[in-house]
Amino acid sequence: MDGTFKDNDYSKIVDADRAHVWHHLIQHKGFETGEPKIIIEGKGMKVWDQNGKEHMDAVSGGVWTVNVGYGRESIANAVRDQLVKMNFFGGTTGSIPGAMFAEKLITKMPGMSRVYYANSGSEANEKGFKIVRQIAHKRYGGKKHKILYRDRDYHGSTLATMSAGGQDERNAQYGPFAPGFVRVPHCMEYRKHEQAGAPDEGYGVWAANQIEEVILREGADTVGALCVEPVTAGGGVITPPEGYWERVQEICKKYDILLHIDEVVCGVGRTGTWFGYQNYGIKPDIVTMAKGVASGYAAISCCVTTEAVFDLFKDDSTDPLNYFRDISTFGGCTAGPAAALENMRIIEDESLMANTLAMGEHMMNNLHALAEKHAAIGDVRGKGLFIGAELVSDRGTKEALDEKMVGAVVADCMAQGVIIGATNRSIPGKNNTLCFSPALIATADDIDHITDAVDQALGRVLG
């Protein structure tokens, strides 16, 4: 792929898109006079738009998804071959790729044992919530039904997952939400000065203890689960402070609270381990994943549980309600696990997790170097190839840079042919973090190209 097209007149496609497609996360007024961007082709780390312009993709499909890069014929072939043989049957039955991928996946997740298939991260998280609620009714008379979620975390776009959404601008104008979801404070060390009582030392343990305070306020006998991202994604790429996860685990065990880890972004290599929680010694009860599971080559998500959780749904076979009475239509589609199997093989055979750690370190070093040059970079944080750079107007006060300026930096990079991300309609007044999640195949030259574009954009936009 070199960016040239046999038929490069896409005017009819643009017209059809402008007239009929409702895009995600974007104001369409501008399309009345301008063109929507249409991505025509992709190869490796690069994509080409309808005008033939080449772009380096530093956000893996815009939403942290294409972990192994574009144009993987072996994944496409695996999907094609499977669909011709057997494309779909409802999830009450099994399939060859479904069984094979579940077995393979569980080898990467010690302590977990059961895989429930769905087709999006939102749906996978809803399955987790339903499991918690059904357990509450089966064992606790419905009382232990509350689900805790964390400020700044994101778990999906359905009304139930938005009820567990810690991003107020995402939730604005969509309420009322489902009852029984309770927010706990975030653990963002860079902004601990905004939390009353936060200490200079031992912040991680203190931040975890704020969760315990919420549990005690609500009543431990009413709280069934805590749902959190191991590294917060769209809320600002927030890595946990030292001591945080150890204390969270203790609290969950103390009060018999299921720990639900949302790996929709972190999962399948993004942080340099198979799953983000594995960086922190966490032993979850429920793990959800999507996005990088098949690198966007097919729709698939998974809700994975321990055997102990699974066993609660078959302990009395005479009870007609005593099983997980849930269905996901496209959780029975064989394309997803077929793609996921080949995606996982690529990650293993090409040593992409080792590359993720090496390139993540390289990118962090580059961004720290840019922070020495540009005072607007207040903080650089991340894990593997999952990195954020928070922009501020004043390093001393940590006042967030106006999001129009942040958007201008992103737009300047786009004009240079480099696609980066930024927190978007997430935290009021705090949509100021540049987000990077290049494919796990990234080279040092790719990383340098991305950070050079950021350097130039900051210079032009902010001086």
Side-chain angles (χ1 to χ4, degrees):
M1 178 66 209
D2 59 5
T4 60
F5 308 100
K6 293 180 181 178
D7 179 5
N8 60 2
D9 182 6
Y10 290 98
S11 58
K12 291 182 179 179
I13 300 299
V14 171
D15 289 344
D17 184 285
R18 183 192 286 119
H20 303 295
V21 176
W22 198 334
H23 290 271
H24 304 177
L25 288 174
I26 193 168
Q27 168 59 252
H28 284 61
K29 186 67 175 177
F31 295 160
E32 294 179 2
T33 55
E35 288 189 352
K37 182 177 287 293
I38 299 175
I39 301 299
I40 304 298
E41 295 188 40
K43 186 68 175 179
M45 290 277 294
K46 297 177 180 178
V47 297
W48 287 262
D49 67 17
Q50 72 265 31
N51 299 311
K53 182 173 180 177
E54 178 182 292
H55 297 80
M56 172 70 71
D57 179 9
V59 281
S60 294
V63 286
W64 356 65
T65 297
V66 189
N67 283 9
V68 300
Y70 298 97
R72 291 284 190 170
E73 291 187 19
S74 66
I75 302 181
N77 289 338
V79 171
R80 184 265 176 201
D81 292 347
Q82 177 57 49
L83 293 183
V84 170
K85 184 174 183 179
M86 183 65 193
N87 66 308
F88 174 85
F89 203 90
T92 55
T93 71
S95 71
I96 290 174
M100 292 177 63
F101 180 63
E103 181 180 52
K104 182 76 170 177
L105 179 61
I106 291 303
T107 67
K108 311 301 182 187
M109 305 178 72
M112 310 303 289
S113 70
R114 295 286 175 165
V115 180
Y116 188 98
Y117 286 117
N119 74 111
S120 72
S122 298
E123 193 179 3
N125 282 324
E126 288 226 17
K127 307 309 179 188
F129 297 163
K130 289 176 74 174
I131 287 170
V132 172
R133 290 287 170 87
Q134 193 169 344
I135 290 172
H137 285 279
K138 284 168 52 62
R139 296 188 63 187
Y140 305 103
K143 188 174 184 181
K144 202 172 174 66
H145 70 278
K146 293 177 184 175
I147 296 170
L148 307 183
Y149 66 94
R150 191 171 57 189
D151 185 34
R152 285 181 172 257
D153 279 8
Y154 175 80
H155 302 297
S157 59
T158 63
L159 283 175
T161 54
M162 290 179 77
S163 301
Q167 299 178 3
D168 292 337
E169 285 196 344
R170 291 270 185 202
N171 287 10
Q173 302 176 357
Y174 292 120
F177 296 107
F181 291 89
V182 181
R183 185 178 298 201
V184 301
H186 66 73
C187 63
M188 188 176 185
E189 194 160 16
Y190 182 67
R191 295 204 165 273
K192 65 184 179 184
H193 63 285
E194 298 174 351
Q195 294 177 282
D200 290 331
E201 300 293 332
Y203 172 74
V205 173
W206 179 88
N209 285 338
Q210 305 315 294
I211 297 175
E212 184 174 32
E213 289 190 11
V214 173
I215 293 168
L216 295 174
R217 183 192 73 207
E218 296 291 325
D221 59 343
T222 71
V223 179
L226 168 67
C227 180
V228 283
E229 295 180 272
V231 177
T232 297
V237 190
I238 304 167
T239 50
E242 185 177 354
Y244 180 79
W245 274 115
E246 294 88 342
R247 181 63 183 135
V248 169
Q249 188 88 62
E250 289 177 359
I251 292 168
C252 288
K253 288 181 178 178
K254 180 178 180 180
Y255 297 107
D256 188 26
I257 292 172
L258 295 174
L259 182 53
H260 173 168
I261 300 295
D262 178 346
E263 290 274 351
V264 171
V265 173
C266 292
V268 195
R270 172 58 54 194
T271 67
T273 54
W274 282 110
F275 294 94
Y277 74 84
Q278 293 168 343
N279 291 291
Y280 307 109
I282 303 167
K283 295 180 179 179
D285 301 289
I286 300 169
V287 178
T288 48
M289 64 195 74
K291 296 188 185 294
V293 173
S295 289
Y297 285 83
I300 180 174
S301 68
C302 306
C303 180
V304 183
T305 73
T306 61
E307 196 72 6
V309 168
F310 176 78
D311 281 346
L312 292 173
F313 292 84
K314 63 183 182 72
D315 55 350
D316 182 2
S317 61
T318 65
D319 181 353
L321 298 183
N322 192 35
Y323 61 94
F324 190 42
R325 300 178 316 281
D326 180 85
I327 186 171
S328 168
T329 296
F330 293 109
C333 185
T334 60
L341 273 166
E342 180 60 14
N343 184 69
M344 188 169 278
R345 182 200 65 77
I346 290 169
I347 292 172
E348 290 182 312
D349 289 358
E350 297 183 12
S351 301
L352 293 187
M353 285 196 291
N355 187 67
T356 296
L357 292 173
M359 292 304 101
E361 181 179 8
H362 183 59
M363 190 167 203
M364 291 283 282
N365 289 338
N366 282 8
L367 290 170
H368 280 299
L370 289 187
E372 295 295 318
K373 180 178 180 181
H374 299 283
I377 299 179
D379 192 35
V380 175
R381 50 188 181 256
K383 199 77 173 175
L385 282 171
F386 183 20
I387 297 171
E390 182 162 353
L391 302 186
V392 295
S393 58
D394 186 298
R395 280 187 178 175
T397 64
K398 300 182 181 179
E399 181 181 353
L401 187 68
D402 185 278
E403 68 177 70
K404 290 183 178 179
M405 302 297 284
V406 178
V409 172
V410 174
D412 189 284
C413 287
M414 178 71 81
Q416 296 179 60
V418 174
I419 305 172
I420 69 169
T423 44
N424 177 28
R425 298 284 67 78
S426 297
I427 315 300
K430 297 282 173 41
N431 295 305
N432 63 314
T433 300
L434 302 180
C435 302
F436 307 94
S437 56
L440 314 188
I441 62 172
T443 66
D445 286 344
D446 294 332
I447 298 301
D448 291 345
H449 185 53
I450 294 164
T451 54
D452 285 348
V454 174
D455 182 16
Q456 293 180 50
L458 289 171
R460 275 189 287 267
V461 173
L462 301 175

